[in-house]
Amino acid sequence: MAEKNTLLNQWRAMAYDDQADRNSLQKLWIDYFQKEKEIYSQLLTNPDEEVKGTVRELAEKYNIDIMTMTGFLDGINESLKTPNPIEEMDEDTTVSLAFDKELLYKNMVVAEADWLYNLEEWKSIFDEDKRKELYKEQKTSTTVVKEAKIYPNDPCPCGSGKKYKKCCGKNK
């Protein structure tokens, strides 16, 4: 069965086309990131207002084409209070941009989108300490901490003072 030609599939086919000319793909992303930044600047100016409308209405509101709006909706979806049905939406699907502020900030950090998590508008939402805390929380949540290896002649971690091999490491 052929994959449905939904807006999301069209966007992804266009934006992640490995057959496309590198320069045109690069231009697409440069344009996209600029528009994305402008939309976030507007959304963050009034972060508690729920912006809602059809995909077409929001594209018109932000003065962008339907495909760029689809890409934006794909990008913000994991940061929304209620995710939109992006897999099957069309131009007339009503969507919401009501986002969770902390989650959005952290997802911008995950995406390494410094042009977004450093937007001036964040300063009136979270103070510098809160932004640093969210940044650190996000970075440490993805850090894998390996336990230190205990060798037979190391002091036992239980605190007995004995060598590991003569204490908790016995019979291992």
Side-chain angles (χ1 to χ4, degrees):
M1 191 170 104
E3 212 173 292
K4 280 177 44 185
N5 201 18
T6 63
L7 284 178
L8 187 63
N9 288 341
Q10 290 173 52
W11 161 254
R12 289 180 175 167
M14 184 176 81
Y16 303 102
D17 182 3
D18 50 7
Q19 308 300 309
D21 170 57
R22 276 191 52 201
N23 290 336
S24 57
L25 207 52
Q26 190 175 19
K27 184 184 178 336
L28 177 139
W29 281 106
I30 289 169
D31 292 346
Y32 173 80
F33 290 139
Q34 184 54 47
K35 291 170 184 167
E36 176 189 48
K37 185 177 176 179
E38 290 164 12
I39 296 171
Y40 277 121
S41 289
Q42 291 178 52
L43 286 174
L44 294 172
T45 301
N46 197 347
D48 298 314
E49 176 196 347
E50 179 182 11
V51 175
K52 201 171 187 167
T54 66
V55 176
R56 184 184 303 106
E57 289 166 348
L58 292 180
E60 288 168 6
K61 174 182 171 75
Y62 293 108
N63 198 23
I64 57 176
D65 61 86
I66 297 287
M67 282 296 104
T68 303
M69 190 69 227
T70 302
F72 183 83
L73 289 165
D74 186 22
I76 197 174
N77 211 42
E78 288 182 9
S79 305
L80 298 175
K81 292 177 180 172
T82 306
N84 288 311
I86 61 169
E87 297 294 335
E88 56 269 347
M89 71 184 176
D90 61 35
E91 292 181 21
D92 299 315
T93 304
T94 299
V95 292
S96 166
L97 299 181
F99 58 92
D100 176 305
K101 294 182 283 256
E102 289 192 8
L103 189 56
L104 179 62
Y105 189 86
K106 287 179 173 184
N107 284 338
M108 288 174 170
V109 170
V110 170
E112 297 182 354
D114 56 335
W115 65 94
L116 296 177
Y117 66 76
N118 285 327
L119 280 168
E120 203 57 35
E121 289 78 5
W122 280 114
K123 292 179 181 174
S124 57
I125 298 171
F126 299 129
D127 64 26
E128 188 178 353
D129 289 341
K130 181 66 175 176
R131 291 192 312 274
K132 282 181 180 172
E133 176 193 324
L134 291 170
Y135 182 90
K136 189 174 180 206
E137 245 176 61
Q138 183 51 54
K139 286 297 191 183
T140 55
S141 75
T142 56
T143 304
V144 178
V145 179
K146 281 175 96 177
E147 279 190 38
K149 177 143 175 59
I150 304 165
Y151 294 94
N153 289 324
D154 289 346
C156 192
C158 77
S160 68
K162 298 179 182 177
K163 287 185 177 186
Y164 179 67
K165 67 182 179 187
K166 299 275 189 194
C167 191
C168 295
K170 233 180 192 171
N171 306 329
K172 285 205 179 208

